[in-house]
Amino acid sequence: MLFDERPKSNREDLFDRDRELGELLDNIHRPIILLTGIRRIGKTSILRVALNMVDTEYILIDGRGLKPNYGFKDLYNLLSSAFSRSGSRILELIKDVRGVKILGSGVEFSWGGRESLDLIELFDRLNSRRVIVAIDEAQYFRGPQSNIMRSLLAHSYDYNDNITFILTGSEVGLLHDFLLLDDPDSPLYGRYIHNITIGRFGRDESIEFLRRGFNEAGLEIDPWLMEKAVDLFDGIPGWLTFFGNRYVSGIRRMEDIIDMAVNMAVKELRSICRTERYRYVLKGIAEGLDSWSKIKRYIEEREKRTVSDSILSKVIRSLEDMSIISEYKFLDPVHQLAARKL
Ligand code: ADP
Ligand code: MG
Protein backbone atom coordinates (compact mmCIF):
# COMPACT_ATOMS: atom_id res chain seq x y z
CA MET A 1 0.00 0.00 0.00
CA LEU A 2 1.44 3.33 -1.11
CA PHE A 3 -0.14 5.19 1.83
CA ASP A 4 1.21 2.84 4.52
CA GLU A 5 3.11 5.14 6.87
CA ARG A 6 5.90 2.67 7.58
CA PRO A 7 9.02 2.64 5.41
CA LYS A 8 8.40 0.41 2.41
CA SER A 9 10.34 -2.80 1.94
CA ASN A 10 8.81 -4.32 -1.19
CA ARG A 11 9.50 -3.03 -4.68
CA GLU A 12 5.80 -2.98 -5.58
CA ASP A 13 5.00 -0.69 -2.63
CA LEU A 14 7.70 1.79 -3.54
CA PHE A 15 6.61 4.46 -5.99
CA ASP A 16 9.13 5.09 -8.79
CA ARG A 17 12.72 5.64 -7.51
CA ASP A 18 13.97 3.54 -10.44
CA ARG A 19 16.99 5.74 -10.90
CA GLU A 20 17.98 5.77 -7.22
CA LEU A 21 17.47 2.02 -6.82
CA GLY A 22 19.35 1.39 -10.05
CA GLU A 23 22.28 3.48 -8.92
CA LEU A 24 22.33 1.76 -5.54
CA LEU A 25 22.24 -1.72 -7.09
CA ASP A 26 24.88 -0.80 -9.70
CA ASN A 27 27.24 0.26 -6.92
CA ILE A 28 26.37 -2.44 -4.43
CA HIS A 29 29.89 -3.92 -4.50
CA ARG A 30 31.60 -0.74 -3.41
CA PRO A 31 33.04 -0.58 0.11
CA ILE A 32 30.88 2.30 1.34
CA ILE A 33 27.77 3.92 -0.14
CA LEU A 34 25.89 6.88 1.30
CA LEU A 35 22.19 7.56 0.83
CA THR A 36 21.48 11.12 1.84
CA GLY A 37 18.43 13.36 1.79
CA ILE A 38 16.10 15.19 4.14
CA ARG A 39 13.77 13.44 6.60
CA ARG A 40 10.79 11.65 5.01
CA ILE A 41 12.34 11.68 1.54
CA GLY A 42 12.38 7.87 1.40
CA LYS A 43 15.91 6.81 2.38
CA THR A 44 14.90 3.95 4.66
CA SER A 45 12.36 2.76 2.10
CA ILE A 46 14.90 2.72 -0.74
CA LEU A 47 17.44 1.01 1.51
CA ARG A 48 15.03 -1.72 2.62
CA VAL A 49 13.67 -2.34 -0.88
CA ALA A 50 17.25 -2.68 -2.19
CA LEU A 51 18.19 -5.08 0.61
CA ASN A 52 15.20 -7.20 -0.31
CA MET A 53 16.07 -7.17 -4.00
CA VAL A 54 19.65 -8.38 -3.68
CA ASP A 55 20.26 -11.97 -2.79
CA THR A 56 22.78 -11.14 -0.08
CA GLU A 57 22.84 -11.53 3.68
CA TYR A 58 22.57 -8.25 5.50
CA ILE A 59 22.67 -6.63 8.90
CA LEU A 60 20.50 -3.57 9.43
CA ILE A 61 21.54 -1.20 12.20
CA ASP A 62 19.37 1.74 13.23
CA GLY A 63 21.70 4.52 14.37
CA ARG A 64 18.84 6.21 16.21
CA GLY A 65 19.26 3.56 18.88
CA LEU A 66 22.39 5.38 20.07
CA LYS A 67 22.10 8.22 22.55
CA PRO A 68 24.45 11.22 22.44
CA ASN A 69 27.79 10.45 24.12
CA TYR A 70 27.11 6.73 23.89
CA GLY A 71 29.67 4.38 25.35
CA PHE A 72 30.99 0.89 24.59
CA LYS A 73 28.08 -0.79 26.30
CA ASP A 74 25.51 1.13 24.20
CA LEU A 75 27.42 0.46 21.00
CA TYR A 76 27.75 -3.27 21.68
CA ASN A 77 24.09 -3.45 22.64
CA LEU A 78 23.02 -1.82 19.40
CA LEU A 79 25.28 -4.06 17.31
CA SER A 80 24.31 -7.27 19.11
CA SER A 81 20.61 -6.61 18.63
CA ALA A 82 21.18 -5.88 14.93
CA PHE A 83 23.15 -9.13 14.56
CA SER A 84 20.41 -10.99 16.46
CA ARG A 85 17.88 -9.85 13.85
CA SER A 86 20.12 -10.80 10.93
CA GLY A 87 19.40 -14.51 10.72
CA SER A 88 21.10 -17.81 11.32
CA ARG A 89 23.57 -17.74 8.42
CA ILE A 90 25.31 -14.67 9.78
CA LEU A 91 25.25 -15.99 13.34
CA GLU A 92 26.80 -19.22 12.08
CA LEU A 93 29.71 -17.19 10.63
CA ILE A 94 30.52 -15.37 13.84
CA LYS A 95 29.75 -18.00 16.46
CA ASP A 96 33.39 -18.82 17.24
CA VAL A 97 34.62 -15.25 17.52
CA ARG A 98 35.97 -14.42 20.98
CA GLY A 99 33.41 -12.49 23.03
CA VAL A 100 30.41 -13.67 20.98
CA LYS A 101 27.78 -15.88 22.58
CA ILE A 102 24.91 -17.30 20.56
CA LEU A 103 21.76 -18.10 22.52
CA GLY A 104 18.98 -19.55 20.41
CA SER A 105 18.43 -16.96 17.71
CA GLY A 106 19.94 -14.13 19.76
CA VAL A 107 23.53 -13.09 20.24
CA GLU A 108 25.46 -11.43 23.06
CA PHE A 109 28.69 -9.42 22.70
CA SER A 110 31.02 -8.75 25.62
CA TRP A 111 32.82 -5.45 25.70
CA GLY A 112 35.15 -5.94 28.67
CA GLY A 113 37.34 -8.47 30.43
CA ARG A 114 39.41 -11.25 28.91
CA GLU A 115 36.58 -12.44 26.70
CA SER A 116 35.96 -9.06 25.15
CA LEU A 117 34.95 -8.86 21.52
CA ASP A 118 37.20 -7.06 19.06
CA LEU A 119 34.94 -5.56 16.39
CA ILE A 120 37.68 -5.76 13.75
CA GLU A 121 37.92 -9.51 14.38
CA LEU A 122 34.14 -9.77 14.15
CA PHE A 123 34.05 -8.03 10.79
CA ASP A 124 37.03 -10.02 9.47
CA ARG A 125 35.02 -13.15 10.20
CA LEU A 126 31.92 -11.68 8.60
CA ASN A 127 33.99 -11.12 5.48
CA SER A 128 34.16 -14.86 4.80
CA ARG A 129 30.82 -14.43 3.02
CA ARG A 130 29.35 -11.59 1.04
CA VAL A 131 27.52 -9.36 3.53
CA ILE A 132 25.90 -5.91 3.44
CA VAL A 133 26.02 -3.85 6.60
CA ALA A 134 23.36 -1.15 6.44
CA ILE A 135 23.43 1.68 8.95
CA ASP A 136 20.31 3.83 8.94
CA GLU A 137 20.79 7.41 10.19
CA ALA A 138 24.51 6.85 10.65
CA GLN A 139 25.15 10.39 11.94
CA TYR A 140 24.06 9.10 15.37
CA PHE A 141 27.46 7.38 15.55
CA ARG A 142 29.05 10.77 16.20
CA GLY A 143 30.44 11.30 19.66
CA PRO A 144 33.45 10.49 21.83
CA GLN A 145 33.43 6.83 20.73
CA SER A 146 32.91 7.52 17.04
CA ASN A 147 36.45 6.51 16.18
CA ILE A 148 35.62 2.86 16.89
CA MET A 149 33.15 2.79 14.02
CA ARG A 150 35.30 4.98 11.75
CA SER A 151 38.25 2.62 12.22
CA LEU A 152 36.03 -0.35 11.55
CA LEU A 153 34.75 1.23 8.34
CA ALA A 154 38.29 2.09 7.24
CA HIS A 155 39.59 -1.39 8.07
CA SER A 156 36.76 -3.04 6.17
CA TYR A 157 37.29 -0.64 3.28
CA ASP A 158 40.92 -1.77 2.99
CA TYR A 159 40.73 -5.46 3.80
CA ASN A 160 37.18 -6.85 3.71
CA ASP A 161 36.29 -7.04 0.04
CA ASN A 162 33.12 -8.97 0.76
CA ILE A 163 31.57 -6.34 2.98
CA THR A 164 29.61 -3.37 1.71
CA PHE A 165 28.44 -0.65 4.05
CA ILE A 166 25.37 1.37 3.12
CA LEU A 167 24.92 4.41 5.33
CA THR A 168 21.92 6.71 5.29
CA GLY A 169 21.70 10.17 6.81
CA SER A 170 19.03 12.86 7.14
CA GLU A 171 21.40 15.31 8.75
CA VAL A 172 24.01 15.54 6.06
CA GLY A 173 26.41 17.90 7.83
CA LEU A 174 26.37 15.72 10.92
CA LEU A 175 26.94 12.60 8.84
CA HIS A 176 30.09 14.22 7.46
CA ASP A 177 31.11 15.18 11.01
CA PHE A 178 30.98 11.48 11.80
CA LEU A 179 32.85 10.24 8.74
CA LEU A 180 35.51 12.99 8.71
CA LEU A 181 36.49 12.24 5.13
CA ASP A 182 38.48 15.47 4.79
CA ASP A 183 40.37 15.24 8.06
CA PRO A 184 43.93 13.89 7.57
CA ASP A 185 43.81 12.42 11.09
CA SER A 186 40.65 10.42 10.36
CA PRO A 187 40.97 6.72 9.48
CA LEU A 188 38.63 7.35 6.54
CA TYR A 189 40.61 10.27 5.15
CA GLY A 190 40.74 10.36 1.38
CA ARG A 191 38.65 7.22 0.80
CA TYR A 192 36.21 7.31 -2.11
CA ILE A 193 32.66 6.96 -0.88
CA HIS A 194 29.82 6.76 -3.35
CA ASN A 195 27.05 9.20 -2.48
CA ILE A 196 23.50 8.91 -3.76
CA THR A 197 21.33 11.93 -3.04
CA ILE A 198 17.62 11.23 -2.71
CA GLY A 199 15.63 14.19 -3.99
CA ARG A 200 11.99 15.14 -3.85
CA PHE A 201 9.34 14.13 -6.37
CA GLY A 202 8.54 16.56 -9.14
CA ARG A 203 5.04 18.02 -9.39
CA ASP A 204 3.74 15.45 -11.89
CA GLU A 205 5.24 12.60 -9.92
CA SER A 206 3.61 13.87 -6.73
CA ILE A 207 0.20 14.04 -8.41
CA GLU A 208 0.69 10.56 -9.82
CA PHE A 209 1.76 9.28 -6.39
CA LEU A 210 -1.45 10.55 -4.80
CA ARG A 211 -3.60 9.37 -7.70
CA ARG A 212 -2.18 5.85 -7.43
CA GLY A 213 -2.51 5.83 -3.65
CA PHE A 214 -6.15 6.92 -3.68
CA ASN A 215 -6.85 4.48 -6.46
CA GLU A 216 -5.41 1.64 -4.38
CA ALA A 217 -7.54 2.74 -1.45
CA GLY A 218 -10.61 2.81 -3.69
CA LEU A 219 -11.34 6.46 -2.91
CA GLU A 220 -12.20 9.36 -5.16
CA ILE A 221 -10.65 12.64 -4.22
CA ASP A 222 -11.29 16.15 -5.46
CA PRO A 223 -8.45 16.93 -7.93
CA TRP A 224 -8.29 20.44 -6.51
CA LEU A 225 -7.53 19.05 -3.05
CA MET A 226 -4.82 16.87 -4.52
CA GLU A 227 -3.23 19.88 -6.20
CA LYS A 228 -3.35 21.74 -2.94
CA ALA A 229 -1.59 18.93 -1.10
CA VAL A 230 1.06 18.74 -3.79
CA ASP A 231 1.66 22.51 -3.60
CA LEU A 232 2.01 22.39 0.14
CA PHE A 233 4.11 19.26 0.65
CA ASP A 234 6.60 20.12 -2.09
CA GLY A 235 7.35 16.63 -3.35
CA ILE A 236 8.31 15.10 0.00
CA PRO A 237 6.99 11.53 -0.19
CA GLY A 238 6.65 11.16 3.58
CA TRP A 239 4.25 14.11 3.78
CA LEU A 240 2.32 12.98 0.70
CA THR A 241 1.98 9.57 2.34
CA PHE A 242 0.89 11.22 5.58
CA PHE A 243 -1.72 13.26 3.74
CA GLY A 244 -3.08 10.22 1.86
CA ASN A 245 -3.07 8.07 4.96
CA ARG A 246 -4.98 10.61 7.07
CA TYR A 247 -7.45 11.33 4.30
CA VAL A 248 -8.17 7.65 3.77
CA SER A 249 -8.60 7.15 7.50
CA GLY A 250 -11.48 9.62 7.42
CA ILE A 251 -10.02 13.07 8.00
CA ARG A 252 -11.38 15.03 5.09
CA ARG A 253 -10.56 18.64 5.88
CA MET A 254 -7.23 19.76 4.47
CA GLU A 255 -6.74 22.19 7.38
CA ASP A 256 -7.02 19.36 9.90
CA ILE A 257 -4.44 17.26 8.09
CA ILE A 258 -2.09 20.22 7.83
CA ASP A 259 -2.50 20.89 11.56
CA MET A 260 -1.55 17.32 12.37
CA ALA A 261 1.53 17.49 10.16
CA VAL A 262 2.56 20.84 11.60
CA ASN A 263 2.15 19.57 15.16
CA MET A 264 4.49 16.70 14.41
CA ALA A 265 6.99 19.12 12.92
CA VAL A 266 6.71 21.45 15.93
CA LYS A 267 7.73 18.57 18.18
CA GLU A 268 10.69 17.81 15.95
CA LEU A 269 11.86 21.40 15.96
CA ARG A 270 11.41 21.73 19.72
CA SER A 271 13.64 18.73 20.25
CA ILE A 272 16.47 20.37 18.33
CA CYS A 273 16.21 23.84 19.89
CA ARG A 274 19.06 23.64 22.36
CA THR A 275 18.69 27.27 23.44
CA GLU A 276 16.21 30.09 23.01
CA ARG A 277 18.37 31.40 20.18
CA TYR A 278 17.60 28.36 18.03
CA ARG A 279 13.94 29.17 18.39
CA TYR A 280 14.43 32.78 17.33
CA VAL A 281 16.58 31.86 14.36
CA LEU A 282 13.95 29.39 13.17
CA LYS A 283 11.13 31.86 13.70
CA GLY A 284 13.04 34.61 11.92
CA ILE A 285 13.77 32.44 8.90
CA ALA A 286 10.14 31.27 8.84
CA GLU A 287 9.10 34.91 8.62
CA GLY A 288 11.31 35.34 5.58
CA LEU A 289 14.49 36.87 7.00
CA ASP A 290 17.09 35.82 4.50
CA SER A 291 20.38 37.19 5.71
CA TRP A 292 22.68 36.97 8.65
CA SER A 293 22.32 40.64 9.59
CA LYS A 294 18.52 40.56 9.44
CA ILE A 295 18.41 37.58 11.75
CA LYS A 296 20.88 39.17 14.11
CA ARG A 297 18.77 42.34 14.34
CA TYR A 298 15.61 40.27 14.85
CA ILE A 299 17.06 38.35 17.80
CA GLU A 300 18.58 41.47 19.36
CA GLU A 301 15.22 43.21 19.24
CA ARG A 302 13.53 40.29 20.94
CA GLU A 303 16.15 39.62 23.58
CA LYS A 304 16.99 43.28 24.16
CA ARG A 305 20.66 42.43 24.25
CA THR A 306 23.55 42.12 21.84
CA VAL A 307 24.07 38.76 20.21
CA SER A 308 27.60 37.51 19.70
CA ASP A 309 28.51 36.85 16.09
CA SER A 310 30.18 33.57 16.89
CA ILE A 311 27.16 32.22 18.77
CA LEU A 312 24.79 33.20 15.99
CA SER A 313 27.06 31.57 13.39
CA LYS A 314 27.15 28.44 15.48
CA VAL A 315 23.37 28.22 15.67
CA ILE A 316 22.93 28.78 11.94
CA ARG A 317 25.66 26.29 11.05
CA SER A 318 24.18 23.72 13.35
CA LEU A 319 20.71 24.09 11.76
CA GLU A 320 22.38 23.68 8.36
CA ASP A 321 24.26 20.59 9.53
CA MET A 322 20.97 19.10 10.67
CA SER A 323 19.57 19.80 7.17
CA ILE A 324 16.77 21.94 8.59
CA ILE A 325 17.76 25.06 6.66
CA SER A 326 20.00 25.89 3.74
CA GLU A 327 20.81 29.41 2.58
CA TYR A 328 18.27 30.90 5.00
CA LYS A 329 15.43 28.73 3.71
CA PHE A 330 13.67 25.73 5.19
CA LEU A 331 14.24 22.51 3.30
CA ASP A 332 10.82 21.24 4.40
CA PRO A 333 7.79 23.55 4.02
CA VAL A 334 6.07 21.90 6.99
CA HIS A 335 9.02 22.87 9.17
CA GLN A 336 8.56 26.44 8.01
CA LEU A 337 4.90 26.44 9.09
CA ALA A 338 5.89 24.77 12.36
CA ALA A 339 8.63 27.29 13.12
CA ARG A 340 6.06 30.09 13.21
CA LYS A 341 4.37 28.29 16.09
CA LEU A 342 7.52 27.82 18.17
P1 ADP B 1 13.34 8.61 5.38
O1 ADP B 1 14.02 7.35 5.80
O2 ADP B 1 14.09 9.37 4.33
O3 ADP B 1 12.97 9.50 6.53
P2 ADP B 1 11.10 6.88 4.76
O4 ADP B 1 11.64 5.83 3.88
O5 ADP B 1 10.84 6.53 6.19
O6 ADP B 1 11.98 8.21 4.67
O7 ADP B 1 9.77 7.41 4.09
C1 ADP B 1 8.91 8.33 4.72
C2 ADP B 1 7.48 7.94 4.44
O8 ADP B 1 7.20 8.10 3.06
C3 ADP B 1 7.12 6.48 4.76
O9 ADP B 1 5.78 6.46 5.14
C4 ADP B 1 7.28 5.78 3.44
O10 ADP B 1 6.43 4.68 3.37
C5 ADP B 1 6.86 6.86 2.44
N1 ADP B 1 7.61 6.80 1.17
C6 ADP B 1 8.80 7.38 0.92
N2 ADP B 1 9.18 7.18 -0.34
C7 ADP B 1 8.21 6.44 -0.91
C8 ADP B 1 8.01 5.92 -2.22
N3 ADP B 1 8.92 6.11 -3.19
N4 ADP B 1 6.87 5.20 -2.45
C9 ADP B 1 5.97 5.01 -1.47
N5 ADP B 1 6.09 5.49 -0.24
C10 ADP B 1 7.19 6.20 0.06
MG1 MG C 1 14.52 6.76 7.72
Side-chain angles (χ1 to χ4, degrees):
M1 289 284 280
L2 229 44
F3 290 162
D4 185 341
E5 64 264 55
R6 275 168 300 215
K8 307 299 190 283
S9 41
N10 296 315
R11 181 67 190 101
E12 57 275 20
D13 293 325
L14 187 78
F15 180 80
D16 194 1
R17 297 305 194 189
D18 288 335
R19 189 191 62 77
E20 292 84 352
L21 270 175
E23 187 175 348
L24 181 52
L25 297 175
D26 284 349
N27 288 281
I28 203 84
H29 282 275
R30 289 188 187 277
I32 305 178
I33 306 166
L34 300 186
L35 283 182
T36 53
I38 58 171
R39 283 171 199 76
R40 301 188 176 85
I41 205 75
K43 300 174 297 296
T44 305
S45 298
I46 291 171
L47 172 66
R48 293 188 52 174
V49 168
L51 290 174
N52 266 339
M53 287 170 79
V54 292
D55 192 20
T56 304
E57 303 287 313
Y58 66 84
I59 297 155
L60 178 53
I61 303 166
D62 185 357
R64 290 170 301 186
L66 285 176
K67 54 182 194 228
N69 301 321
Y70 65 90
F72 258 87
K73 173 173 176 282
D74 308 302
L75 177 64
Y76 276 50
N77 256 320
L78 181 79
L79 295 179
S80 62
S81 53
F83 273 80
S84 294
R85 276 182 270 113
S86 69
S88 56
R89 272 149 91 188
I90 286 193
L91 297 187
E92 184 61 31
L93 284 183
I94 61 163
K95 69 178 196 305
D96 299 327
V97 177
R98 189 174 43 130
V100 172
K101 204 190 243 172
I102 311 273
L103 305 143
S105 64
V107 56
E108 291 177 357
F109 292 168
S110 20
W111 70 86
R114 268 196 305 137
E115 279 295 289
S116 82
L117 163 67
D118 175 1
L119 289 179
I120 301 262
E121 204 179 316
L122 179 76
F123 276 67
D124 284 349
R125 194 67 67 84
L126 213 51
N127 185 54
S128 51
R129 278 179 75 104
R130 168 101 183 105
V131 173
I132 296 174
V133 181
I135 308 182
D136 205 11
E137 301 293 358
Q139 72 276 7
Y140 282 80
F141 278 87
R142 266 154 48 251
Q145 302 292 356
S146 58
N147 212 42
I148 303 175
M149 209 59 187
R150 263 194 306 278
S151 302
L152 187 62
L153 283 162
H155 172 81
S156 291
Y157 193 113
D158 292 351
Y159 296 102
N160 295 334
D161 297 347
N162 273 328
I163 301 181
T164 290
F165 285 89
I166 308 176
L167 275 51
T168 84
S170 296
E171 302 171 304
V172 181
L174 297 185
L175 181 60
H176 286 283
D177 282 352
F178 162 54
L179 294 172
L180 296 176
L181 300 175
D182 303 324
D183 175 352
D185 293 329
S186 159
L188 281 168
Y189 177 67
R191 302 290 196 296
Y192 173 72
I193 290 187
H194 192 82
N195 184 35
I196 304 174
T197 309
I198 314 296
R200 42 196 100 205
F201 291 161
R203 204 188 148 75
D204 292 347
E205 260 178 314
S206 300
I207 296 268
E208 179 59 20
F209 178 85
L210 290 180
R211 232 184 35 74
R212 280 244 308 260
F214 283 114
N215 210 12
E216 258 181 18
L219 259 184
E220 291 267 351
I221 172 174
D222 183 350
W224 175 83
L225 203 59
M226 218 151 70
E227 299 261 341
K228 227 178 128 185
V230 167
D231 287 340
L232 176 70
F233 294 122
D234 195 22
I236 301 176
W239 287 131
L240 295 170
T241 303
F242 181 83
F243 167 74
N245 186 291
R246 299 293 96 170
Y247 190 92
V248 169
S249 74
I251 301 164
R252 296 292 145 86
R253 275 170 35 111
M254 186 73 186
E255 295 73 23
D256 293 343
I257 300 180
I258 296 173
D259 276 351
M260 294 167 87
V262 169
N263 286 339
M264 274 171 74
V266 166
K267 282 199 197 113
E268 283 171 17
L269 292 183
R270 286 218 175 103
S271 74
I272 60 167
C273 287
R274 276 173 236 152
T275 62
E276 196 66 338
R277 298 234 159 114
Y278 279 80
R279 195 164 73 84
Y280 286 136
V281 171
L282 289 170
K283 275 178 102 70
I285 294 175
E287 283 173 27
L289 306 181
D290 57 358
S291 75
W292 202 81
S293 54
K294 285 182 198 165
I295 294 172
K296 186 170 150 87
R297 216 175 313 128
Y298 175 87
I299 302 179
E300 286 179 339
E301 275 162 20
R302 262 154 198 77
E303 293 192 0
K304 309 273 182 258
R305 61 199 277 170
T306 56
V307 172
S308 114
D309 287 0
S310 67
I311 290 186
L312 181 56
S313 304
K314 218 180 112 196
V315 173
I316 292 177
R317 199 169 345 107
S318 143
L319 291 169
E320 285 170 347
D321 284 346
M322 290 187 273
S323 305
I324 300 291
I325 57 169
S326 170
E327 292 172 354
Y328 303 102
K329 284 201 183 62
F330 280 90
L331 293 172
D332 177 334
V334 183
H335 278 158
Q336 177 164 8
L337 294 175
R340 298 204 178 109
K341 295 177 75 177
L342 282 176

